[in-house]
Amino acid sequence: MSFNSLLLRSLSDDVSPARMDVLLSNVFFLRMPTTFSRFEIRTGDGFDLPRVEIPAGTRGEWFTINAGEGYVYATHCEWHEDEGNAMTPSRFGPLKRTD
């Protein structure tokens, strides 16, 4: 069993100069589209969750993306907003196996 981190990054544009980084830690399950026109993340309570068997004892909770457009089972979710661009390093530091 392998646990990984997932860094989702918005790109700044003329409408919003801010960039948002969202880090999900110890990801066990992931299902989501590759692009979003909007992004809202919530804990899984009150949503129809996917029928995925999570092994007993696996730490984490469900996070829903855009009210069920995507799902992530992970232990933590953190975010940070700044004025960086796509090439500016993330506040969350370098992640393994990335440039």
Side-chain angles (χ1 to χ4, degrees), residues 19-81:
R19 176 192 69 181
M20 180 73 68
D21 282 353
V22 177
L23 178 68
L24 292 142
S25 301
N26 303 313
V27 174
F28 183 81
F29 176 85
L30 162 71
R31 185 182 75 200
M32 70 173 64
T34 57
T35 61
F36 300 99
S37 58
R38 69 180 189 87
F39 186 80
E40 177 184 72
I41 189 165
R42 295 178 180 231
T43 57
D45 296 336
F47 292 94
D48 291 332
L49 297 173
R51 294 178 187 224
V52 176
E53 191 172 318
I54 303 295
T58 303
R59 288 186 9 197
E61 65 180 309
W62 283 106
F63 295 93
T64 58
I65 312 297
N66 297 339
E69 189 176 337
Y71 299 94
V72 179
Y73 190 85
T75 59
H76 300 86
C77 179
E78 303 174 69
W79 60 91
H80 176 73
E81 185 175 343

Side-chain angles (χ1 to χ4, degrees), residues 76-97:
H76 300 86
C77 179
E78 303 174 69
W79 60 91
H80 176 73
E81 185 175 343
D82 61 28
E83 299 292 321
N85 61 39
M87 301 309 292
T88 307
S90 173
R91 171 188 170 275
F92 299 112
L95 301 175
K96 294 178 184 177
R97 299 184 297 272

Side-chain angles (χ1 to χ4, degrees), residues 1-22:
M1 188 177 323
S2 173
F3 292 98
N4 295 295
S5 297
L6 172 66
L7 178 65
L8 302 171
R9 174 172 271 192
S10 70
L11 299 177
S12 58
D13 58 22
D14 295 335
V15 176
S16 175
R19 176 192 69 181
M20 180 73 68
D21 282 353
V22 177

